Amino acid sequence: MRLVRVSTRPLRSPAGQSLLPITISRSLSVTSPSRAGKLDVVTEVSRTRNIGIIAHIDAGKTTTTERMLYYSGHTRRIGNVDDGSTVTDFLPAERARGVTIQSAAISFHWPPLPSDDASTQSTKSSDLVPHNINLIDTPGHADFTFEVLRSLRILDGAVCILDGVAGVEAQTEKVWYQAGKYNIPKIIYVNKLDRDGAAFGEIVKQIASRLHTWPAVCQVPWWEGGKSQFIGLGDAIGLRAMKWAEGGDGKSFEVTPVDKLPHSEATFVEEIKKARRALVEILSENDDQMVEKYLEANEDHLAIRSEDVIASLRRCVINPQSNIVPIFAGASFRNMGVQPLLDAVVQLLPSPGEAPDPELNLGGVEGTISRLMNGGMLSATTGSKSKVAKHKRPNIALIQHLEACALAFKVVHDPRRGALVYVRVYSGSITRQSMLFNTNLQISEPAPQLLKMYASDSIQIDAIPAGQIGVIPGLKHARTGDTLISYTGANPRSGPQAPLITLPLRPIEVPPAVFFSSVEPHSLSEEKNVRTSLELLIREDPSLQVTEDEESGQTLLSGMGEFHLEIAIDRLVTDLKAKAAMGKIEIAYRESILQASQPDVYALDREQGGRQGRASCVATVEPLSEDAETPAMDEYGYSVYEDGNRITISIVSPADPSSTLEPWDGELPSHLSIPLIQNALKNGALAALSRGINYTFQLHNTHVLLTLDPRKHIFGTETNPAALSSAARLAAKAALKATALEHGSALMELVMNVTVSVDEASLGAVVNDISSARGGHIMSLDDADVTSGPTVNSTTNELPRIDINKVYAPPDPFGSSQTQQQGIATDSSRQRNITARVPLKEMVGYLKHLRSLTGGRGTFVMGADRFERVVGQREKVLLKELRGF
């Protein structure tokens, strides 16, 4: 297929770099007018890669991204993090601090299009065809975990970048297992091998021991003379060596077959061959086709064609059961190793059509997009015997009118264009001016424009096809996690027919906020503007929460950490121009009841919103046992676990043998349905749990049981969802108040799982500080290397342990033979990991203290474990502090 490039004036990034619009002529045409004119952008799903860059902070994500953009011809010069000239870090706060705060999406082609600067080399295969790469650069700081989570939700593959000196760090493990939750295929890039102390072989074994995956070493570092500086790479797949010139921009490099290398590099040549043998062996254990190729080559590992090795490696990467991850190497800051990494992205990571099918729920039936489109889910829904399913029995013709299904995964406020909603299209194609129905909010909104984003810049397009990522400006209501569908002939007000009207893709989980701070307007006249700005802020970042203290009337902003709140306030004041001040950062505590209550009946009979509302229900509350099993639900039974509490709803069914009243036929008022009643009661219970009786903190470890008998508690048209929700809230509140006043409440604080990485010399001081000064419990002391086990993490404990002795890792240029075998350092700079459980209150401001204890070398990452009751002297101290505010 001939490639076509339409000439147009290049766009400009905020840093002044030329951004070349991207074009590839294939079978599916999408016209996109740029600011200079029209540009035909044509993409094919099989030649698209939606990938993300994930890593610990300071591993070199943005630096690597800048090289990718430069070598693809997307920019004319390489941006620098320290200079604030990068394309993807375009926020003022990002450039001022030198860290990534929000994920940035950008598109380019690899290999470069013929009309772009094609002087850069692609090393794997001469027949590579340009692929459209949608890349998302994610933050590495632990406080911005949600930003990583919502990016992972829509990605098809990921590149995990490791620091060649620090290795597998705590935050790396965290994002690795988060990506595993979505079954995202991954490759690893070991960066910064030009730095002193870089140890590629040691990191390979860390990958096996700490990430619980089999490393498939595809490249080995080339150390000059075997012991000196990093000068290039040995390609175990293609059996060649790649050497970069010192101080160049990295576009050109020498590629030499192993049999052409000089005799002085005999050791390096042998290591490349050894890596190839190990690579074939591990692939043979997971891929039958590689076994056949091995036998066809007369059991000669080196005789297998590189194309066959790539094909086998790709099958293993895409298959989640293989548990294999390819390992690549480089030094991005020195412009070494990025082009081979881009080749690997194109050749090994899946296209949208090969990625795991997104999950969804249709009429209570779990399934996938593919199953929905071929009618399988409709058949399952039709076959259901429940009254609700029969009432909403769908027709297979409904699917034929479903034009597009997409997930909104990010919302950004732009001062010029308003709200920009980032979407990933999973089925069909969203076209300009199409009407989008939000299945979560049950409203329709038009899509007046469609954009393709290049970090902070964009071009207009006519459609966003399946498998692509795009932006819809001007949507007033869409939020992160909303499902958007386009349906032919749908009523703009009522939306498509059931059950498509409630079609939700798997939502994006929002982690709980654990820090909060008050936000005070400078004056009463600024209060409305501050509130509007806060609404924009939390629409952008749902991991932020805004609440109002009922007693003090203060507005409270909650977030994931101190740095998270600091950035949020900075954006509020600097970007959104809100005139407000931030109070002291505080900790979010919880409250828990101690004894069960008696059943409390509440009958609501009052006017609500200009209409008479009548409803009633019975509420009982009790402490939630940690080992309590999920109750078995019969017809009209419903149980949900949310925010640390369980809500169980029982609606008396017509066939309930325990009922003493006259039987009924199961018919409800036409404006009510069982799911609608259950949702209203659940919302009422959640509202009651939002504030405790004795300490005014949110309830935790509480079980609310709501019982509704339609014969006694529903009063015809006077009973609406709002009335049911109010009745449930007031009944549950009365039950909570009765038991809290009689038996008291417990104060609970959040305990964190903390992993601290320090050098050997600082280990004793840090351990003593955690266990003595901060009231923490040390769980384990591990080497941050091959001898260490997994950190204390429920996810890692479920994964199989890798036998390190069976893992191939090339030798590192420094250290004795014993250290090479063990993969550890021998001096006081050896990294150690401390795993502990520490109350969150004691971790406020801990980073500064840790740096003072370790001379600036210590780092830590923490995640919420659970809320635990505060007892003894600590309870008295905390209560005294809280009552003093």
Side-chain angles (χ1 to χ4, degrees):
M1 182 71 70
R2 186 172 62 91
L3 298 177
V4 179
R5 179 73 161 87
V6 179
S7 177
T8 184
R9 178 171 59 88
L11 302 173
R12 294 282 175 180
S13 76
Q17 295 137 302
S18 297
L19 303 181
L20 300 182
I22 294 172
T23 318
I24 174 172
S25 183
R26 297 294 299 168
S27 58
L28 183 62
S29 179
V30 182
T31 304
S32 62
S34 71
R35 290 178 298 182
K38 294 279 185 176
L39 175 66
D40 289 335
V41 179
V42 189
T43 57
E44 187 182 72
V45 171
S46 64
R47 292 184 179 171
T48 295
R49 301 291 182 269
N50 297 316
I51 68 166
I53 305 292
I54 59 174
H56 189 93
I57 191 171
D58 291 334
K61 300 182 304 303
T62 304
T63 300
T64 303
T65 301
E66 286 297 317
R67 272 66 184 173
M68 289 179 173
L69 299 179
Y70 178 66
Y71 297 139
S72 67
H74 188 75
T75 58
R76 296 299 188 191
R77 66 181 181 86
I78 300 175
N80 188 287
V81 174
D82 296 331
D83 297 340
S85 58
T86 59
V87 172
T88 53
D89 284 352
F90 54 83
L91 291 179
E94 291 178 318
R95 295 188 170 183
R97 291 172 171 82
V99 297
T100 301
I101 293 172
Q102 72 172 18
S103 57
I106 196 161
S107 298
F108 58 91
H109 277 83
W110 185 261
L113 295 171
S115 57
D116 289 334
D117 186 356
S119 61
T120 187
Q121 289 179 266
S122 179
T123 59
K124 294 287 185 193
S125 174
S126 59
D127 60 355
L128 275 181
V129 177
H131 284 60
N132 177 45
I133 298 179
N134 297 316
L135 182 142
I136 296 182
D137 181 18
T138 66
H141 197 285
D143 280 10
F144 303 103
T145 298
F146 176 71
E147 194 71 26
V148 181
L149 281 176
R150 63 177 170 184
S151 298
L152 291 175
R153 172 63 181 81
I154 53 88
L155 294 175
D156 301 322
V159 177
C160 180
I161 299 182
L162 303 181
D163 187 317
V165 178
V168 179
E169 299 175 88
Q171 179 67 6
T172 307
E173 293 184 70
K174 190 173 182 179
V175 297
W176 182 269
Y177 295 118
Q178 287 167 346
K181 287 178 61 178
Y182 295 111
N183 295 320
I184 296 176
K186 302 172 286 291
I187 61 178
I188 289 179
Y189 174 66
V190 182
N191 191 23
K192 300 187 177 183
L193 291 178
D194 58 314
R195 294 178 56 194
D196 293 339
F200 180 80
E202 177 183 338
I203 292 173
V204 169
K205 294 192 174 183
Q206 284 184 22
I207 291 168
S209 65
R210 299 183 62 180
L211 300 183
H212 295 259
T213 187
W214 285 98
V217 178
C218 299
Q219 295 174 344
V220 295
W222 187 356
W223 311 100
E224 190 174 29
K227 294 283 185 180
S228 187
Q229 67 177 2
F230 176 65
I231 59 173
L233 297 167
D235 180 11
I237 298 175
L239 293 175
R240 65 184 106 181
M242 296 168 282
K243 184 176 182 180
W244 280 263
E246 178 69 22
D249 65 359
K251 276 196 171 184
S252 300
F253 50 92
E254 299 177 16
V255 180
T256 308
V258 290
D259 55 0
K260 301 294 184 180
L261 288 172
H263 293 294
S264 59
E265 299 294 347
T267 304
F268 178 55
V269 170
E270 184 56 36
E271 198 60 46
I272 296 175
K273 295 179 179 179
K274 187 176 180 181
R276 163 60 93 90
R277 296 187 188 99
L279 182 60
V280 171
E281 288 292 331
I282 195 172
L283 291 176
S284 299
E285 293 177 6
N286 293 272
D287 181 31
D288 293 340
Q289 294 186 45
M290 174 51 72
V291 176
E292 296 176 3
K293 297 297 181 182
Y294 175 67
L295 296 176
E296 291 175 3
N298 297 320
E299 301 185 6
D300 184 356
H301 301 79
L302 307 182
I304 300 174
R305 297 189 313 151
S306 61
E307 291 82 1
D308 294 330
V309 176
I310 292 172
S312 176
L313 196 56
R314 178 180 175 81
R315 287 191 292 270
C316 290
V317 169
I318 295 177
N319 178 15
Q321 303 302 320
S322 67
N323 197 28
I324 285 179
V325 58
I327 312 296
F328 296 87
S332 297
F333 188 73
R334 297 298 177 94
N335 308 319
M336 304 167 69
V338 177
Q339 297 98 318
L341 176 63
L342 284 167
D343 286 335
V345 166
V346 168
Q347 295 186 318
L348 302 182
L349 293 180
S351 67
E354 298 167 312
D357 220 8
E359 301 170 357
L360 51 81
N361 183 297
L362 185 66
V365 178
E366 299 290 337
T368 63
I369 281 285
S370 297
R371 191 177 169 209
L372 171 67
M373 299 310 295
N374 62 28
M377 290 189 65
L378 295 180
S379 301
T381 307
T382 304
S384 174
K385 296 181 180 180
S386 69
K387 282 183 172 289
V388 176
K390 288 180 180 179
H391 178 67
K392 297 181 177 180
R393 183 169 296 171
N395 191 313
I396 194 68
L398 289 176
I399 297 302
Q400 299 175 0
H401 297 286
L402 185 62
E403 295 180 345
C405 181
L407 181 73
F409 68 94
K410 182 182 175 70
V411 180
V412 174
H413 175 73
D414 185 273
R416 293 183 292 110
R417 293 169 290 192
L420 303 178
V421 180
Y422 287 69
V423 298
R424 161 72 190 268
V425 180
Y426 286 102
S427 175
S429 178
I430 295 178
T431 57
R432 191 163 54 179
Q433 301 299 336
S434 62
M435 186 64 68
L436 300 177
F437 183 76
N438 189 318
T439 62
N440 297 65
L441 301 179
Q442 296 290 295
I443 58 175
S444 296
E445 294 186 87
Q449 291 182 326
L450 302 175
L451 302 176
K452 186 80 168 176
M453 294 303 295
Y454 300 97
S456 63
D457 223 320
S458 64
I459 60 172
Q460 290 191 23
I461 55 178
D462 283 342
I464 308 174
Q468 297 296 326
I469 295 171
V471 170
I472 307 175
L475 297 184
K476 297 180 179 179
H477 304 285
R479 309 159 303 176
T480 296
D482 284 350
T483 300
L484 306 176
I485 63 174
S486 177
Y487 191 82
T488 303
N491 188 312
R493 292 187 177 182
S494 60
Q497 299 181 38
L500 293 182
I501 193 172
T502 58
L503 170 68
L505 289 165
R506 180 180 177 182
I508 299 173
E509 298 178 3
V510 181
V514 293
F515 287 85
F516 70 90
S517 173
S518 61
V519 179
E520 296 290 345
H522 288 171
S523 64
L524 288 175
S525 61
E526 294 293 334
E527 187 172 350
K528 182 179 180 180
N529 182 46
V530 170
R531 190 173 298 278
T532 302
S533 299
L534 285 172
E535 290 174 355
L536 290 173
L537 202 62
I538 61 175
R539 189 184 177 197
E540 282 191 9
D541 186 357
S543 62
L544 292 170
Q545 298 177 13
V546 176
T547 57
E548 185 171 314
D549 188 277
E550 293 183 8
E551 292 184 355
S552 65
Q554 283 185 313
T555 299
L556 303 178
L557 180 65
S558 305
M560 299 282 292
E562 297 173 84
F563 190 43
H564 189 204
L565 281 180
E566 179 186 335
I567 293 298
I569 295 296
D570 181 69
R571 292 211 59 208
L572 185 69
V573 175
T574 305
D575 298 345
L576 301 178
K577 309 300 181 184
K579 297 180 180 179
M582 176 181 174
K584 182 181 177 182
I585 294 178
E586 305 293 346
I587 304 300
Y589 294 96
R590 294 290 187 269
E591 184 176 336
S592 179
I593 59 174
L594 300 176
Q595 297 288 335
S597 72
Q598 295 296 321
D600 196 290
V601 182
Y602 190 91
L604 178 80
D605 187 358
R606 66 186 183 198
E607 189 174 303
Q608 288 186 319
R611 297 174 57 190
Q612 186 65 26
R614 291 183 65 194
S616 184
C617 73
V618 181
T620 305
V621 296
E622 62 184 16
L624 181 64
S625 174
E626 291 184 6
D627 56 356
E629 297 182 357
T630 302
M633 293 290 102
D634 298 325
E635 188 175 20
Y636 302 148
Y638 175 80
S639 184
V640 61
Y641 185 84
E642 192 165 325
D643 291 336
N645 302 297
R646 180 166 293 283
I647 300 171
T648 300
I649 298 170
S650 297
I651 301 176
V652 177
S653 70
D656 188 352
S658 65
S659 176
T660 60
L661 299 178
E662 291 295 325
W664 65 299
D665 58 4
E667 292 297 326
L668 294 170
S670 60
H671 65 287
L672 294 178
S673 64
I674 296 298
L676 193 63
I677 294 173
Q678 290 173 337
N679 188 61
L681 294 176
K682 183 193 78 169
N683 291 337
L686 288 174
L689 292 167
S690 64
R691 185 179 177 86
I693 303 300
N694 292 327
Y695 303 125
T696 71
F697 292 115
Q698 180 180 326
L699 272 298
H700 192 76
N701 276 7
T702 303
H703 187 189
V704 179
L705 299 98
L706 298 174
T707 303
L708 183 138
D709 191 330
R711 292 161 293 191
K712 296 190 299 182
H713 301 147
I714 292 180
F715 306 93
T717 58
E718 292 182 337
T719 301
N720 53 51
L724 287 167
S725 183
S726 296
R729 175 178 62 84
L730 294 170
K733 200 72 174 180
L736 288 168
K737 185 175 182 179
T739 184
L741 294 180
E742 181 179 355
H743 303 290
S745 302
L747 182 66
M748 306 187 78
E749 67 176 347
L750 185 59
V751 178
M752 310 296 289
N753 280 327
V754 182
T755 303
V756 187
S757 298
V758 298
D759 56 1
E760 182 77 30
S762 306
L763 181 66
V766 175
V767 168
N768 181 68
D769 178 68
I770 291 175
S771 58
S772 300
R774 301 183 183 275
H777 298 279
I778 303 297
M779 307 302 293
S780 65
L781 297 175
D782 302 323
D783 291 330
D785 56 25
V786 300
T787 64
S788 67
T791 57
V792 179
N793 184 303
S794 60
T795 306
T796 62
N797 290 337
E798 299 172 358
L799 298 174
R801 196 176 183 87
I802 304 295
D803 186 353
I804 302 301
N805 296 320
K806 296 181 180 180
V807 173
Y808 163 75
D812 293 319
F814 310 104
S816 63
S817 59
Q818 181 178 3
T819 25
Q820 292 297 343
Q821 293 175 2
Q822 296 177 349
I824 59 176
T826 56
D827 57 16
S828 60
S829 65
R830 179 175 53 157
Q831 288 293 109
R832 300 292 300 275
N833 279 343
I834 305 166
T835 304
R837 297 179 73 249
V838 189
L840 174 60
K841 181 179 185 299
E842 305 301 332
M843 298 304 295
V844 177
Y846 181 63
L847 183 58
K848 292 180 181 178
H849 185 69
L850 177 64
R851 286 174 175 171
S852 68
L853 290 176
T854 61
R857 293 184 294 274
T859 62
F860 81 97
V861 65
M862 64 181 181
D865 183 11
R866 62 181 180 179
F867 281 91
E868 293 183 353
R869 183 177 178 180
V870 184
V871 296
Q873 185 62 30
R874 183 171 179 80
E875 181 181 23
K876 296 179 181 178
V877 172
L878 282 178
L879 288 176
K880 185 177 179 181
E881 291 179 1
L882 293 171
R883 288 167 179 165
F885 291 144

